[in-house]
Amino acid sequence: QKEVEQNSGPLSVPEGAIASLNCTYSDRGSQSFFWYRQYSGKSPELIMFIYSNGDKEDGRFTAQLNKASQYVSLLIRDSQPSDSATYLCAVRGGGADGLTFGKGTHLIIQP
Amino acid sequence: DVKVTQSSRYLVKRTGEKVFLECVQDMDHENMFWYRQDPGLGLRLIYFSYDVKMKEKGDIPEGYSVSREKKERFSLILESASTNQTSMYLCASSQGQGGYGYTFGSGTRLTVV
C-alpha cells in the first residue's frame, strides 16, 4: 500500500515568516510530486510540482525533493494570512494508478 | 486552463434514492477520477477511468458505480444513497497517468437525510 504522510497540524506561523510543510512517501519508485492548496469548503488547486532532486522555486513558494530520504517539502516565504489553508502533498508512483494524496497539513498564518 | 465542471455545488437527497453526480472536463483529458473527502480521512479514490467506457475501482467503490459514455463526461452513481455517503465529492481529470497533476472540479457537497 503506497502511503503519503503529512503532519495534520495545525501549523501556526507568524505573518512574514517562512512556513515549512513536510511530506514523506513510501514508494521508492515515485516519479512526480505535487503540492495542492485547499481553502475551507473549496476544492484543491495545484500550486507546485517537482520531478527532480533539489529545489524548485516559483514566486514565494519553493518545493524541495530528496528521493534518497523519500521526503518532499514546501516552503512559503513571506507568509500572508491568505496562505492559511490545508496543503495536500500528492505523489505519483511508478505504476499506472495515478496520484496518492496525503491527508494534508492545516496551515494558519497569524497576522 | 483546464476546466472541470461538476453539475451541482450542493445536493440534499433522501436515504434510498438513486443519485447521479455529473462531471465534465473541456480539455480532452483521457483520465478522470472521483474522490470523496471527509474530515480526518483525506481524499479517498472511489473510481477512475482511463478511457471511454473504461472504469477501474479505487479504494472505496462499495455503494457506487460510474459511467463514462463520452470522453469529456464521467458520472458517479450512488445506487441507493445512505447517510454514510454524506460527503464532499470531488471530480478530477488529468492528461496521461497524472504526471502533470490533476485538475479538480469545484466539488459537490452531498447530504443524505
Side-chain angles (χ1 to χ4, degrees), chain A:
Chain A
Q1 179 79 3
K2 298 172 185 174
E3 293 183 344
V4 177
E5 300 287 343
Q6 296 181 255
N7 189 320
S8 62
L11 175 65
S12 187
V13 174
E15 183 176 358
I18 296 175
S20 178
L21 303 163
N22 304 314
C23 171
T24 59
Y25 58 94
S26 63
D27 181 8
R28 282 201 170 272
S30 296
Q31 300 176 352
S32 312
F33 307 85
F34 305 87
W35 283 100
Y36 285 82
R37 178 177 61 201
Q38 186 175 24
Y39 293 114
S40 181
K42 303 294 186 181
S43 62
E45 59 176 321
L46 182 65
I47 55 171
M48 288 287 291
F49 60 89
I50 187 167
Y51 302 143
S52 304
N53 275 331
D55 294 0
K56 179 181 178 183
E57 187 174 320
D58 184 0
R60 295 187 297 112
F61 298 97
T62 299
Q64 300 176 317
L65 175 61
N66 183 328
K67 289 187 177 180
S69 300
Q70 296 175 241
Y71 179 92
V72 58
S73 64
L74 179 70
L75 303 178
I76 307 174
R77 289 183 300 281
D78 188 23
S79 297
Q80 303 296 310
S82 60
D83 295 326
S84 297
T86 295
Y87 289 79
L88 304 175
C89 174
V91 175
R92 181 189 168 218
D97 51 357
L99 301 184
T100 301
F101 287 85
K103 293 181 180 179
T105 297
H106 183 204
L107 175 66
I108 299 171
I109 306 301
Q110 294 183 322

Side-chain angles (χ1 to χ4, degrees), chain B:
Chain B
D1 282 351
V2 177
K3 189 170 183 181
V4 179
T5 302
Q6 294 185 232
S7 54
S8 303
R9 187 74 179 94
Y10 298 96
L11 273 180
V12 180
K13 296 292 182 180
R14 295 194 179 276
T15 300
E17 276 193 80
K18 190 169 187 176
V19 181
F20 293 86
L21 302 183
E22 305 289 343
C23 176
V24 178
Q25 51 94 5
D26 65 359
M27 284 298 289
D28 203 37
H29 281 178
E30 296 95 351
N31 308 315
M32 298 187 75
F33 308 84
W34 275 106
Y35 287 87
R36 64 177 284 179
Q37 187 175 34
D38 302 285
L41 297 178
L43 284 162
R44 292 183 290 170
L45 181 62
I46 304 171
Y47 267 98
F48 60 101
S49 170
Y50 287 149
D51 202 351
V52 176
K53 297 196 185 292
M54 257 203 59
K55 59 183 178 183
E56 296 286 344
K57 292 180 179 179
D59 299 320
I60 52 163
E62 295 78 19
Y64 303 94
S65 62
V66 291
S67 172
R68 193 163 181 202
E69 296 296 319
K70 294 184 178 181
K71 189 174 185 179
E72 68 270 19
R73 185 180 297 269
F74 192 35
S75 303
L76 180 69
I77 304 157
L78 285 66
E79 298 292 342
S80 177
S82 64
T83 55
N84 62 13
Q85 292 179 310
T86 292
S87 186
M88 169 69 91
Y89 288 88
L90 291 161
C91 176
S93 73
S94 75
Q95 183 72 24
Q97 298 296 329
Y100 302 101
Y102 295 172
T103 300
F104 283 90
S106 56
T108 297
R109 174 73 65 182
L110 173 67
T111 302
V112 182
V113 298

